[in-house]
Amino acid sequence: QEQLVESGGGSVQPGGSLRLSCGASGLSLRYYAVAWFRQAPGKAREAIGCIAGSWDTTYYADFVKGRFTISRDTTKNTVYLQMDSLQPEDTALYYCAAGNHAGGPSWYRERIYDYWGQGTQVTVSS
């Protein structure tokens, strides 16, 4: 059974860093576009970024502003979200998603992703 599992969330002070991991079972992430999304309390889920294709092309939402980096380790079947300079407004539940036909200009559209994890909580506060 295909499954995505996020890990690495936690509490951090403003300006701090966290690295989230998205591990997979039942599917090989090297063949999928993998995106990260987040949902803050009372807000709609929003796309953060995506890694796709043989060349690991990355796409990012404007609000990332160079603070977040997505990478992939095919030997571990894991995709990472490195988050630096975290701010309180980054507090949210973070999800990863994988899609066979995702990536490209529509990378931010939730409906193109076939598999979703359960999320990992990130809290940024002093």
Side-chain angles (χ1 to χ4, degrees):
Q1 183 177 357
E2 299 87 352
Q3 188 176 13
L4 297 178
V5 178
E6 303 93 340
S7 62
S11 296
V12 64
Q13 293 186 339
S17 297
L18 281 175
R19 188 178 77 160
L20 306 184
S21 299
C22 174
S25 58
L27 66 159
S28 180
L29 292 183
R30 70 169 65 201
Y31 300 118
Y32 288 80
V34 179
W36 287 93
F37 293 80
R38 70 183 186 183
Q39 186 167 21
K43 294 187 177 182
R45 188 156 56 187
E46 62 180 349
I48 297 170
C50 172
I51 187 165
S54 301
W55 302 102
D56 280 351
T57 302
T58 52
Y59 308 84
Y60 296 100
D62 289 344
F63 72 82
V64 168
K65 295 180 181 178
R67 299 184 299 129
F68 296 177
T69 304
I70 299 174
S71 61
R72 180 177 5 217
D73 186 339
T74 56
T75 65
K76 297 181 179 179
N77 203 24
T78 299
V79 170
Y80 301 99
L81 175 63
Q82 175 68 41
M83 303 187 295
D84 300 316
S85 302
L86 285 163
Q87 299 302 318
E89 54 266 33
D90 295 314
T91 295
L93 188 61
Y94 284 70
Y95 300 89
C96 65
N100 220 343
H101 303 287
S106 298
W107 68 268
Y108 56 92
R109 297 186 185 277
E110 295 185 25
R111 58 183 174 85
I112 65 176
Y113 294 93
D114 305 305
Y115 307 102
W116 290 79
Q118 293 300 307
T120 185
Q121 178 67 37
V122 171
T123 302
V124 185
S125 71
S126 55

